């Protein structure tokens, strides 16, 4: 079994409060990846409360984003349409960079009758949530191939995107 994890392809990270031109540019590639993927698809949503600025993250990154049930929290329309075209999709709301719920769900999915062969990650931001979840998944399933399709990712800056790719390589996460 193969799993595709689509990380935080939400309006606020694409063309909203924390959006970048690089994030906008990867949307078509992510949509194509989802549509062509043969396997289980999981999407994450960065999810914050209205009191975000009072949280530990909000004190370090004082830009309100991905507040639950706001337009910026929603998954990009094109990405959402691609996700809806799949027969099996799970969406996991995560309150922080790496999702323990995602790791536990994927570990439970590693059935001996249909073991996970590969987990592929795409999405935003390479240098925060993608790297956090890639490392978390590698820790939960150290014998499973974890890869990041770097053409379907964007970082806060092009430089931090590249640095995150190099860091993941050092942790035996395949960059494709």
């Amino acid at each position: 079994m193969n799993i595709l994890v689509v990380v935080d392809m939400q309006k606020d990270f694409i063309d909203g409060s924390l959006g970048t031109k690089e994030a906008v540019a990867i949307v078509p590639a992510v949509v194509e990846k989802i549509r062509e993927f043969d396997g289980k698809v999981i999407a994450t949503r960065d999810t914050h409360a209205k009191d975000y600025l009072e949280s530990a993250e909000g004190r370090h990154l004082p830009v309100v984003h991905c507040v639950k049930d706001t337009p910026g929290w929603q998954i990009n329309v094109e990405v959402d349409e691609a996700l809806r075209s799949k027969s099996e999709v799970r969406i996991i709301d995560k309150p922080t960079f790496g999702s323990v719920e995602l790791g536990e769900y994927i570990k439970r999915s590693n059935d001996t009758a249909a073991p996970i062969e590969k987990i592929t990650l795409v999405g935003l931001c390479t240098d925060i949530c993608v790297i956090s979840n890639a490392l978390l998944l590698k820790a939960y399933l150290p014998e499973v191939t974890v890869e990041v399709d770097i053409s379907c990712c964007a970082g806060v800056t092009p430089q931090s995107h590249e640095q995150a790719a190099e860091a993941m390589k050092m942790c035996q996460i395949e960059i494709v």
Side-chain angles (χ1 to χ4, degrees):
M1 172 175 40
N2 293 321
I3 296 176
L4 176 65
V5 179
V6 180
V7 179
D8 298 356
M9 289 297 295
Q10 295 162 269
K11 181 170 179 42
D12 274 346
F13 291 128
I14 296 170
D15 57 6
S17 60
L18 292 171
T20 65
K21 66 181 188 229
E22 293 84 10
V24 171
I26 70 163
V27 170
V30 171
V31 168
E32 182 178 347
K33 185 80 169 187
I34 294 166
R35 290 194 188 281
E36 293 179 358
F37 190 77
D38 184 23
K40 184 181 285 194
V41 179
I42 303 167
T44 67
R45 276 189 302 218
D46 195 45
T47 302
H48 300 295
K50 290 179 176 28
D51 65 349
Y52 169 76
L53 293 175
E54 298 167 25
S55 70
E57 181 183 327
R59 289 189 296 276
H60 287 90
L61 177 63
V63 178
V64 175
H65 65 282
C66 298
V67 173
K68 187 173 184 169
D69 296 326
T70 65
W73 175 73
Q74 301 298 324
I75 293 175
N76 168 275
V77 172
E78 296 162 74
V79 172
D80 189 53
E81 287 173 5
L83 290 169
R84 290 177 190 273
S85 75
K86 306 305 281 185
S87 61
E88 186 178 356
V89 175
R90 179 174 176 111
I91 296 176
I92 295 175
D93 293 338
K94 58 182 193 57
T96 189
F97 307 135
S99 174
V100 171
E101 182 182 348
L102 172 67
E104 290 173 352
Y105 174 74
I106 289 179
K107 188 172 183 179
R108 283 192 311 270
S109 298
N110 196 20
D111 188 335
T112 53
I116 297 170
E117 295 174 27
K118 181 169 47 175
I119 302 167
T120 304
L121 290 92
V122 300
L124 301 167
C125 294
T126 318
D127 43 347
I128 302 173
C129 293
V130 173
I131 191 172
S132 295
N133 285 290
L135 292 169
L136 186 142
L137 291 169
K138 193 66 177 168
Y140 268 93
L141 296 162
E143 298 302 318
V144 172
T145 298
V146 176
E147 72 176 20
V148 172
D149 184 338
I150 208 71
S151 69
C152 294
C153 295
V156 173
T157 68
Q159 297 79 15
S160 61
H161 168 79
E162 292 299 324
Q163 290 170 335
E166 290 302 314
M168 287 186 278
K169 284 182 197 175
M170 295 302 295
C171 294
Q172 301 175 2
I173 294 164
E174 296 180 15
I175 303 300
V176 298

